[in-house]
Amino acid sequence: PGRPPLDLIPITTPDNIALQAKLTLPEPPEVGDSAPPPVVLYLHGAGARTCDSPFPYRAEDGSVQWGNYLDFHAAELAPRGVAFCSVSKRGCTATDQPPFMAVDQDVFATATITAMLADYEAVLETLRARTDVDASRVVLLGSSEGTRIAPPLAAPAPAGV
């Protein structure tokens, strides 16, 4: 079926850190409802992570290949009419060479829970400003450390998170 359409979104945090976000949108329905889809916002676990979360694996032929872990989520949600948004953590940038991530340790060292909460709030604000997703239907999907960030991110948010 091919890769769902995606949009790379620049995000600027309140303390002026540039983040990379990736929004994967479902194909628009052929007929019927043209309302924007709900969106799942992924909140990373601990450690340096990009909007792709690349990982190495050994293919059947024995060669080492790389996959983007978060693309699995996007590929499963898109056919169900749900958008998927992931964001690189502060100081982490996706690259085109293994290990497909560069980390600015000085910036990454500022990735406290408070700073990451502000980062994800900036992502939510950006999603809410878009017309191609339904800002009233946002689901937070946290992994490990992300589950600690989800409640304070959702609590002050308007209805829809």
Side-chain angles (χ1 to χ4, degrees):
R3 182 184 183 126
L6 64 89
D7 190 6
L8 298 174
I9 307 166
I11 306 286
T12 302
T13 67
D15 58 344
N16 211 31
I17 303 291
L19 306 177
Q20 296 174 317
K22 183 164 76 171
L23 176 64
T24 305
L25 298 166
E27 293 287 348
E30 292 180 22
V31 293
D33 187 15
S34 62
V39 60
V40 171
L41 173 58
Y42 183 78
L43 310 178
H44 288 286
R49 301 283 185 268
T50 68
C51 56
D52 291 323
S53 285
F55 67 96
Y57 67 94
R58 192 159 304 279
E60 288 182 21
D61 66 3
S63 65
V64 174
Q65 302 292 317
W66 286 80
N68 292 329
Y69 174 72
L70 295 176
D71 285 351
F72 292 116
H73 292 289
E76 287 299 316
L77 291 169
R80 293 165 173 80
V82 179
F84 184 76
C85 183
S86 58
V87 61
S88 297
K89 283 184 154 181
R90 56 178 43 223
C92 302
T93 306
T95 64
D96 59 0
Q97 297 293 317
F100 301 102
M101 176 173 62
V103 180
D104 179 329
Q105 293 295 337
D106 291 336
V107 176
F108 184 68
T110 68
T112 63
I113 293 293
T114 302
M116 289 186 297
L117 179 60
D119 294 352
Y120 286 122
E121 286 171 344
V123 176
L124 269 178
E125 287 176 24
T126 300
L127 288 173
R128 287 191 180 114
R130 297 177 66 96
T131 58
D132 53 357
V133 294
D134 185 344
S136 70
R137 297 188 297 160
V138 177
V139 174
L140 302 177
L141 172 61
S143 172
S144 186
E145 186 177 56
T147 64
R148 183 174 174 203
I149 297 170
L153 182 59
V161 174

